[in-house]
Amino acid sequence: MTLAPCRRRKQVVAAAGSLLTRSRASGARWDRVRSVMRGIIAAGTHIPHYRLDRTEVAAFFGKGGGRGQRSVASYDEDTTTMGVAAARRALASTDLEPQELWFATASPAYLEKTNATAVHAALQLGPEVGALDFGGALRSGAGALRTALTAGVSTLVAAADQRGGLATSADEAAGGDGAAAVLIGDDTDGPVIAEYLGAGVATEEFLERWRLPGGDRSRAWEERFGEVTYGPLMSQAWERALAATSLSADDIDKLIVTGTHGRAVARNAKRLGVRDEAMIDDLSGSVGNTGTAHPLLVLSSALEQASPGETIAVMTLADGVEVIVLRATDAISAVSPAMSTAGQIASGTTVSYGKFLSWRGMVSVEPPNRPLPNRPSASAAHRRDDWKFGFVGSRDRSSGMIHLPPARVSEKGGAVDDMEPVPMADTVGTVVSFTIDKLVYSPSPPVVFAVVDFDGGGRAPLELADCGPDEIEVGMRVLPTFRRLFTADEIHNYFWKVAPVRGVR
């Protein structure tokens, strides 16, 4: 997939509640035109491949855990890499290049440095596309979504989070890791699959959940306090949303209520007056609560199952309440997600509780007998950012040979500086040979290296992700995935691995 820059620009003026545009044929004359529909053009999710069975917690410690499973980010995933994965799936169904990229997370890979720029680079967006972080708070995901829906530019909103807590804690069991992305725009940008109808907000300062900078876990006040405080705020935001959209509770076909305060969500949601069958599964039993990403994640999942004309309301509880109301359009019938949320959940593999604790840095295990890697070079990474972040190779114009990594001199014919860029991040490949290395440094040894032949040309040795040494085989079909190789001197070294193609892409 090659992302084409957005060329759609129209001068639009708002007057007397209508959109007016200047007619070229009549000079200064103004003609009334139809209102532009704004909403969601595309959506995508990323559920990590690994799951933790919550019963393992009690089996290990004698307490904690619960029923069901939660999603677990692999040792080479963080909020940035998960955001890239979700955004790639959202953009796979459209040629529109957004004018803005907003990335929301309460668990950023970096502070002070903008994390959205790495997502921007991995997506190979143009330099004119702005990239901003909406970070630090659980509300930032829903807030970024509402702000984008009311803005006047096409915006890709990506949200990701890694949730956890102390061993055996309720936060550890109830949390989950994941990401979602939605592309917002007008119907002049492309078919809108969910029209934005309106919103309602209720904000109040109170101490319910918090984490100090540098803290390794969040803390929460006594449950009854949050339940009582959120109740009136939910009613206020709900009433404002219904008033803004001229709808009643009976008009809502799907209601999504998310928040890290489980009691406030469960007990107060019943008072909103919607039909029981309208309540949407919040994925808490199969994925867990993904914090900042959860409103977008459950919304994206609901859109995959929505029918034209259905009205969907999303309510988020976090330092107040956000309510967003949308209506699925006829265009939603033509949507075929790159990989559905349900498909990702079904294709997961369980991971042991011990490995989960190791990946989270909760326990230290004996590493391979090799020195730690050196820190990545900022200047070298900048010189090769298309390759490092975008997985862009080069094709010799004279012979057609694809070079990975990109080269100046052709391996076939020897032509010099006669190359064109070839994006490879969406190209499927085949494993032709592999090595299982138990000695090389890795946070989770052993490491599986594979030589991959990509469809249409190009060969590269790459590390495998989401694949154990007993799963790899020659002939396996794989797809590039953006991951974190390691962190040295507080610098994250991002690059591309390959992961098995499982189910529908």
Side-chain angles (χ1 to χ4, degrees):
M1 176 185 66
T2 302
L3 299 176
C6 175
R7 304 296 185 191
R8 305 175 180 90
R9 301 288 185 270
K10 291 187 177 180
Q11 291 183 333
V12 179
V13 179
S18 301
L19 293 178
L20 304 175
T21 186
R22 186 180 299 274
S23 170
R24 293 180 180 176
S26 57
R29 185 171 64 86
W30 294 86
D31 293 329
R32 184 177 299 274
V33 297
R34 68 175 181 84
S35 296
V36 173
M37 180 189 295
R38 187 164 181 82
I40 296 175
I41 293 176
T45 63
H46 172 69
I47 308 295
H49 179 62
Y50 294 102
R51 310 283 182 273
L52 174 66
D53 191 324
R54 294 184 176 113
T55 59
E56 280 209 27
V57 180
F60 193 91
F61 280 110
K63 64 175 184 177
R67 292 176 295 179
Q69 296 182 331
R70 61 154 291 169
S71 57
V72 176
S74 181
Y75 70 94
D76 57 358
E77 293 185 283
D78 60 19
T79 51
T80 297
T81 66
M82 290 191 292
V84 168
R88 289 178 65 204
R89 288 186 175 129
L91 293 177
S93 60
T94 178
D95 291 329
L96 174 66
E97 179 175 81
Q99 294 166 271
E100 293 288 332
L101 165 64
W102 297 346
F103 180 53
T105 179
S107 306
Y110 285 114
L111 293 177
E112 300 198 19
K113 184 189 185 310
T114 303
N115 297 278
T117 54
V119 180
H120 178 284
L123 298 177
Q124 287 291 284
L125 300 179
E128 72 282 0
V129 177
L132 298 173
D133 282 357
F134 279 58
L138 294 173
R139 191 170 177 173
S140 61
L145 175 60
R146 179 173 58 84
T147 305
L149 286 166
T150 57
V153 296
S154 58
T155 305
L156 177 63
V157 179
D161 232 340
Q162 287 181 275
R163 306 300 298 171
L166 295 179
T168 74
S169 68
D171 279 352
E172 178 190 62
D177 305 332
V182 292
L183 179 60
I184 307 297
D186 301 330
D187 54 5
T188 55
D189 299 315
V192 172
I193 63 173
E195 179 187 6
Y196 173 63
L197 301 182
V201 175
T203 299
E204 185 172 322
E205 163 57 23
F206 60 100
L207 189 65
E208 187 270 318
R209 177 173 289 273
W210 70 97
R211 172 164 57 91
L212 293 179
D216 58 356
R217 67 185 179 100
S218 62
R219 297 172 180 269
W221 203 258
E222 186 269 327
E223 283 190 333
R224 178 65 180 168
F225 170 71
E227 180 185 348
V228 171
T229 307
Y230 273 121
L233 295 175
M234 291 174 68
S235 298
Q236 294 169 25
W238 183 243
E239 291 169 2
R240 289 166 185 156
L242 294 180
T245 57
S246 299
L247 297 173
S248 69
D250 286 339
D251 295 322
I252 304 301
D253 299 300
K254 296 181 185 294
L255 174 62
I256 299 164
V257 184
T258 72
T260 56
H261 196 301
R263 276 178 49 169
V265 169
R267 299 192 181 185
N268 291 311
K270 297 178 181 179
R271 304 171 184 170
L272 299 177
V274 300
R275 304 182 306 275
D276 290 342
E277 59 270 24
M279 298 297 296
I280 295 295
D281 175 19
D282 65 357
L283 306 180
S284 58
S286 56
V287 176
N289 191 296
T290 57
T292 313
H294 213 58
L296 282 74
L297 180 67
V298 185
L299 171 60
S300 298
S301 177
L303 288 173
E304 294 168 4
Q305 307 165 47
S307 300
E310 286 190 325
T311 302
I312 304 169
V314 186
M315 175 178 284
T316 306
L317 280 62
D319 298 321
V321 179
E322 298 266 355
V323 179
I324 297 169
V325 185
L326 306 117
R327 178 176 290 130
T329 70
D330 291 340
I332 204 165
S333 301
V335 174
S336 179
M339 189 169 188
S340 70
T341 305
Q344 294 178 66
I345 294 173
S347 65
T349 298
T350 56
V351 64
S352 70
Y353 187 50
K355 183 158 286 189
F356 167 79
L357 293 174
S358 172
W359 287 354
R360 290 302 171 93
M362 303 284 284
V363 297
S364 298
V365 297
E366 182 69 19
N369 189 22
R370 289 292 184 273
L372 297 177
N374 296 322
R375 71 175 184 176
S377 166
S379 54
H382 184 65
R383 287 194 299 269
R384 303 292 294 273
D385 62 345
D386 281 357
W387 167 246
K388 179 175 175 58
F389 288 97
F391 202 53
V392 178
S394 61
R395 179 189 286 114
D396 174 22
R397 289 187 175 89
S398 58
S399 68
M401 181 178 179
I402 295 177
H403 297 72
L404 303 175
R408 293 183 57 196
V409 181
S410 174
E411 212 176 297
K412 190 174 183 179
V416 180
D417 291 337
D418 189 26
M419 300 281 185
E420 61 182 359
V422 182
M424 300 292 291
D426 295 296
T427 305
V428 178
T430 301
V431 174
V432 294
S433 66
F434 64 89
T435 299
I436 300 173
D437 195 330
K438 299 181 180 180
L439 298 178
V440 69
Y441 169 79
S442 171
S444 185
V447 176
V448 181
F449 292 101
V451 175
V452 179
D453 279 353
F454 288 95
D455 296 356
R459 168 177 284 193
L462 296 164
E463 186 176 336
L464 260 74
D466 301 340
C467 181
D470 56 338
E471 299 176 87
I472 181 67
E473 59 183 11
V474 171
M476 175 182 283
R477 299 285 279 169
V478 293
L479 188 67
T481 177
F482 189 68
R483 296 297 173 102
R484 188 173 70 189
L485 298 187
F486 58 83
T487 300
D489 197 20
E490 300 184 352
I491 299 175
H492 302 311
N493 187 23
Y494 293 113
F495 189 56
W496 294 80
K497 299 183 180 182
V498 287
V501 175
R502 294 183 171 96
V504 180
R505 286 181 50 206

